[in-house]
């Protein structure tokens, strides 16, 4: 006796509908609409649409002196400086450092790449690769299984470097924004910091700092349209 087998192949919708007993047309339309709705919900959960809420735009950098000047008189950081700061946090995370130090600020300036400070550094032979290499030599490598926070907090020397840049801009009495050159000179002002030591080891000195200071206001703000 030959055993009958049950086919598991999918049945087309037309065949399936022909096998089903006749039903109320209104019920059929309702079931189809419910089926379409469930498919729509499933697809939206699997492939969620991007949020329409725009990302927050950073307009300033951290400061330990929030009452330094009134909001109207307080100078703003250039867009290049803000991008360089974001790159500094990223570089700290790449090296799995728990904080964003002056060495990370220095790397951020070089990663951003379009600012005057980075051009000045590259012109005298100070590159991202060299700074990263010197950072590892000076600070060492993090543990393989260690992780950095999403926004590694600033070290005290890095915070002082940023505040120095703002103070110097205020002292100058000049209009315009705080640039990456101010940030770099702020790093140089922190004599005991990793950033200063790395710069000095790569040939940066007070004479070059003076040359850079002459072009401190040359970053061009690139505002989004």
């Amino acid at each position: 006796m030959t055993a009958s087998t049950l086919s598991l192949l999918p049945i087309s919708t037309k065949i399936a509908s022909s096998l089903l007993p006749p039903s109320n047309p209104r019920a059929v339309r309702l079931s189809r609409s419910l089926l379409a709705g469930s498919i729509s919900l499933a697809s939206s959960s699997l492939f969620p649409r991007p949020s329409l809420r725009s990302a927050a735009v950073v307009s300033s950098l951290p400061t330990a002196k929030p009452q330094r000047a009134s909001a109207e008189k307080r100078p703003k950081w250039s867009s290049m400086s803000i991008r360089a700061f974001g790159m500094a946090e990223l570089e700290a995370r790449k090296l799995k450092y728990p904080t964003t130090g002056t060495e990370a600020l220095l790397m951020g300036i070089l990663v951003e790449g379009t600012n005057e400070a980075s051009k000045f550094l590259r012109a005298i032979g100070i590159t991202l690769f060299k700074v990263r290499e010197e950072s590892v030599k000076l600070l060492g490598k993090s543990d393989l299984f260690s992780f950095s926070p999403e926004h590694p907090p600033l070290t005290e020397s890095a915070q002082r470097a940023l505040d120095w840049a703002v103070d110097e801009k205020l002292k100058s009495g000049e209009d315009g924004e705080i640039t990456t050159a101010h940030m770099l000179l702020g790093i140089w002002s922190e004599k005991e910091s990793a950033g200063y030591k790395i710069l000095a080891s790569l040939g940066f000195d007070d004479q070059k700092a003076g040359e850079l200071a002459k072009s401190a206001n040359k970053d061009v703000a690139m505002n989004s349209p």
Side-chain angles (χ1 to χ4, degrees):
M1 183 176 179
T2 305
S4 59
T5 59
L6 179 63
S7 173
L8 297 178
L9 294 176
I11 303 175
S12 68
T13 54
K14 288 184 178 180
I15 297 175
S17 62
S18 65
L19 295 176
L20 294 173
S23 57
N24 189 334
R26 181 179 297 176
V28 172
R29 287 195 299 271
L30 177 61
S31 63
R32 286 176 179 174
S33 63
L34 290 174
L35 178 60
S38 63
I39 293 174
S40 176
L41 288 173
S43 62
S44 63
S45 62
L46 290 173
F47 306 101
R49 294 180 180 179
S51 174
L52 296 179
R53 184 185 300 175
S54 58
V57 178
V58 178
S59 59
S60 62
L61 298 184
T63 178
K65 303 177 181 179
Q67 306 303 325
R68 179 190 289 108
S70 64
E72 294 79 12
K73 296 180 180 179
R74 190 181 305 142
K76 295 182 179 180
W77 287 90
S78 69
S79 59
M80 292 180 183
S81 297
I82 293 171
R83 286 199 298 271
F85 180 81
M87 293 298 101
E89 288 189 332
L90 183 59
E91 287 300 307
R93 292 179 63 191
K94 283 181 181 178
L95 293 173
K96 298 184 177 181
Y97 288 162
T99 54
T100 302
T102 51
E103 76 289 340
L105 293 179
L106 180 55
M107 286 186 277
I109 290 171
L110 288 163
V111 171
E112 198 281 331
T114 63
N115 59 78
E116 289 298 319
S118 67
K119 294 175 184 177
F120 184 90
L121 290 172
R122 289 196 300 270
I124 60 176
I126 300 178
T127 64
L128 174 63
F129 177 80
K130 290 180 180 178
V131 171
R132 189 179 286 142
E133 189 176 49
E134 291 298 318
S135 296
V136 173
K137 286 181 183 178
L138 184 63
L139 303 174
K141 291 184 177 180
S142 294
D143 185 82
L144 180 64
F145 300 102
S146 63
F147 293 93
S148 296
E150 184 178 358
H151 298 288
L154 287 167
T155 61
E156 290 184 5
S157 58
Q159 184 62 77
R160 286 195 300 268
L162 295 181
D163 286 331
W164 183 95
V166 179
D167 288 339
E168 286 302 304
K169 183 64 179 179
L170 286 169
K171 288 178 185 177
S172 71
E174 298 176 352
D175 294 331
E177 297 172 315
I178 311 165
T179 67
T180 51
H182 293 112
M183 185 185 292
L184 181 56
L185 292 171
I187 296 169
W188 186 247
S189 72
E190 287 295 311
K191 306 298 183 184
E192 300 300 321
S193 71
Y196 178 93
K197 294 174 182 178
I198 292 167
L199 282 169
S201 69
L202 295 175
F204 194 87
D205 54 26
D206 288 336
Q207 181 180 352
K208 292 182 175 61
E211 294 174 13
L212 178 63
K214 296 175 183 178
S215 60
N217 295 314
K218 286 189 177 179
D219 270 3
V220 178
M222 298 175 65
N223 299 319
S224 300

